[in-house]
Amino acid sequence: MSRSPKISTVTPVEPALEVADPFAVDWSASADVVVVGWGAAGASACIEARAAGASVLVIDRFEGGGASALSGGVVYAGGGTPYQREAGFEDTPEAMADYLKHEVNGVVSDATLQKFCQDSTANLAWLEAQGARFAATMPDHKTSYPPDGKFLYFSGNEVVPACMGELGAPAPRGHRVVAKGQSGKVLYEALHAATLRAGAQPLTQATVRRLVRQQAANGQPGPVLGVEVWQLPAGAPETLRHAELQRQVARWRTFRPGKAAACRREAALIEQSTAVPRLIRAFKGVILSTGGFIYNPELMAQHAPHAKRGWPVGGAGCDGSGVRLGQSVGAATQALGNVSAWRFITPPSVWPKGIVVNTQGERFCNEQVYGAKLGHELLDHQGGRGWLVIDGTLRWQAIGQCLVGGLWAFQALPALAMLLLSAKKASSPEALAARIQADPVKLRASLDAANAAARGERDDPFGKSADMRHDTSRGPFYALDISIGSPTFPLATLTLGGLTLDERNGQVLDTSGQPIAGLFAAGRTAVGLPSSRYVSGLSLADCVFSGRRAGRAVAAA
């Protein structure tokens, strides 16, 4: 018996359709602005373009939401928001920019960074005008994601002295949307409703497979005129099944990823077998906002093979279709190899008091840093392999925090599995080194240096603050596998690079640095604020910033 062909879940993207006369094309629909991808960036572009008087048609492979609806709903905002002030913190756009400059690492210009920070409070207020709500309550400890009832927190490295230097007093900038449970769904529901109130016309369960472009004239490439979209038949049983499959993906992606993958394959088969093509005219321009490419195995293998064993973070539509559509008309890309790897070791809040070591037993990072910074050091500099070493005291404290500390299930359950089921235990550093196949001399030296710092006998080699140091001189000792392939502690990964833009307006640039007429991009389809180093909330904040920017620019074209 022959095997059935493997179903690809990646949107097929074809070379652009070149036309000589746009008036001779049988367009099935038209709008001033066509937005491809209806997540936070796409919704922001729609609302802004409509506010400027443009007609808007928004296309989505599913029913909208993308990675934004699956996110924690955290928006990185500062410069003196009402919630920062209510919580008793002062902040300025200048202080925000000074901090973010160390995270952005020049991936966008200083002018763009400054504008992002200057616009931050206004963009938060804009989100509130669309129906999102924020609050000033804060958690007691630094965390990867605040518990229910807490909506403002330090979502980056702001409280890590070694990362702040002379930047002044830290301010919390992670603004979580008020909701019970993870807040991304509530944030997106507000943006979805606001898009419809604004008058944008949705075209869902439809994939854009190629751009339509006017033929070159006088040696100059023609403008992008519209898109070829393949849409499922409205009301058909297959179409209803396709919608249900996407809901199943969202339901099972965390705890049963195999089932979620099967749902994605079935949905892709429906798309490939029943969708019919349409041509849609964009009189002013097309905005690509389809997300990243974490679900595109070919692009991951080409640009980020070091992250292939990670646990993908994103919607099913994060397959790089926007990037590939841009490339089909000569667009340049940037930072495609940059992947955010989320190795959060807090909560439990006591874990960072241990030390992280590589396969040799050498300490390689300040353990109290933001999880994506630790993940970067682990993935990019240690081959994705490492261990967290703690003692019995920290182990019992961590177990207690997992059981009665009010943690989310996605925080507590993997930590408990590590602590109770898979930790390597030994009575001495040398014996522990043997269990994890590390160099006993190097592991002993790493522990001795950290312990001396904990006792106040020397500075911590990696700048860990005094309140996060712990003397682990006495056993038993435990090693927890924090590697990218750890079966009980998945390492979440998110792509950061994308299309290169004119940062003044979001227009896509070609490989010679020239703007591509009629083509814009926003969110994780494009290079933006988070494209070097991710901190929680920066991607959603950039989606709003870049989406609004593109919507304004195309409407004014």
Side-chain angles (χ1 to χ4, degrees), residues 40-42 44-46 48 287 521-523 542-552:
S44 298
C46 289
E48 198 72 8
I287 300 174
D542 182 70
C543 284
V544 174
F545 173 77
S546 63
R548 295 186 71 193
R549 177 181 65 188
R552 284 192 301 269

Side-chain angles (χ1 to χ4, degrees), residues 98-466:
D98 286 343
Y99 166 71
L100 281 179
K101 192 167 186 176
H102 296 277
E103 305 286 3
V104 169
N105 295 309
V107 75
V108 297
S109 68
D110 286 348
T112 297
L113 175 59
Q114 292 290 342
K115 181 164 179 55
F116 173 80
C117 295
Q118 290 289 344
D119 292 353
S120 183
T121 56
N123 278 333
L124 197 71
W126 182 86
L127 281 173
E128 291 181 298
Q130 312 314 316
R133 294 169 51 229
F134 300 93
T137 50
M138 296 185 65
D140 296 329
H141 302 285
K142 182 168 172 59
T143 180
S144 61
Y145 188 73
D148 264 341
K150 309 297 182 182
F151 301 103
L152 179 67
Y153 72 119
F154 293 97
S155 64
N157 288 301
E158 297 90 348
V159 292
V160 182
C163 297
M164 292 296 289
E166 303 298 321
L167 293 180
R173 300 190 181 105
H175 290 67
R176 175 188 162 206
V177 170
V178 173
K180 187 173 179 60
Q182 288 193 273
S183 303
K185 181 174 182 290
V186 173
L187 171 62
Y188 182 71
E189 285 172 350
L191 289 172
H192 182 277
T195 303
L196 299 179
R197 285 197 308 271
Q201 298 300 309
L203 186 65
T204 56
Q205 295 178 280
T207 56
V208 173
R209 297 191 185 179
R210 61 176 167 173
L211 298 174
V212 182
R213 189 177 196 177
Q214 191 157 0
Q215 290 177 354
N218 301 318
Q220 297 298 316
V224 172
L225 302 172
V227 299
E228 181 184 272
V229 60
W230 289 67
Q231 186 181 21
L232 300 183
E238 298 88 347
T239 305
L240 299 177
R241 175 61 178 166
H242 182 268
E244 173 58 25
L245 286 166
Q246 177 57 10
R247 289 188 285 271
Q248 292 295 316
V249 168
R251 178 181 180 184
W252 297 113
R253 68 187 188 96
T254 301
F255 297 109
R256 295 187 63 184
K259 182 170 183 175
C263 291
R264 282 193 293 270
R265 289 192 295 271
E266 185 180 346
L269 181 60
I270 292 172
E271 293 167 1
Q272 295 164 21
S273 61
T274 64
V276 294
R278 301 174 58 186
L279 294 175
I280 297 177
R281 177 77 158 99
F283 293 112
K284 292 177 175 287
V286 172
I287 300 174
L288 301 174
S289 53
T290 61
F293 59 90
I294 198 69
Y295 281 113
N296 186 312
E298 182 178 336
L299 286 181
M300 289 296 294
Q302 180 181 354
H303 299 288
H306 60 300
K308 67 180 180 180
R309 296 180 69 193
W311 184 75
V313 173
C318 293
D319 65 356
S321 64
V323 171
R324 290 177 290 131
L325 286 166
Q327 290 176 314
S328 74
V329 291
T333 59
Q334 183 181 346
L336 294 184
N338 284 1
V339 172
S340 183
W342 299 352
R343 178 46 79 221
F344 289 105
I345 58 171
T346 179
S349 64
V350 298
W351 267 7
K353 293 185 177 184
I355 66 169
V356 292
V357 299
N358 60 20
T359 56
Q360 292 296 305
E362 300 166 312
R363 191 173 170 210
F364 63 87
C365 188
N366 181 339
E367 295 78 12
Q368 68 183 126
V369 298
Y370 175 70
K373 182 172 178 62
L374 175 57
H376 169 73
E377 296 297 326
L378 179 73
L379 196 61
D380 287 43
H381 301 299
Q382 305 300 332
R385 299 178 64 196
W387 299 87
L388 170 65
V389 178
I390 60 176
D391 64 6
T393 299
L394 294 179
R395 176 176 178 268
W396 281 113
Q397 290 175 352
I399 290 171
Q401 290 178 353
C402 290
L403 293 176
V404 297
L407 306 185
W408 293 97
F410 72 85
Q411 296 168 332
L413 294 180
L416 282 173
M418 294 272 283
L419 291 162
L420 299 175
L421 301 177
S422 63
K424 306 290 187 183
K425 180 182 179 181
S427 59
S428 69
E430 289 74 17
L432 188 67
R435 294 214 62 189
I436 64 175
Q437 299 181 322
D439 185 319
V441 175
K442 291 179 179 178
L443 181 58
R444 166 67 78 173
S446 297
L447 284 167
D448 285 349
N451 291 340
R455 295 190 297 266
E457 299 169 2
R458 59 164 293 174
D459 291 335
D460 184 83
F462 289 86
K464 184 187 285 189
S465 58

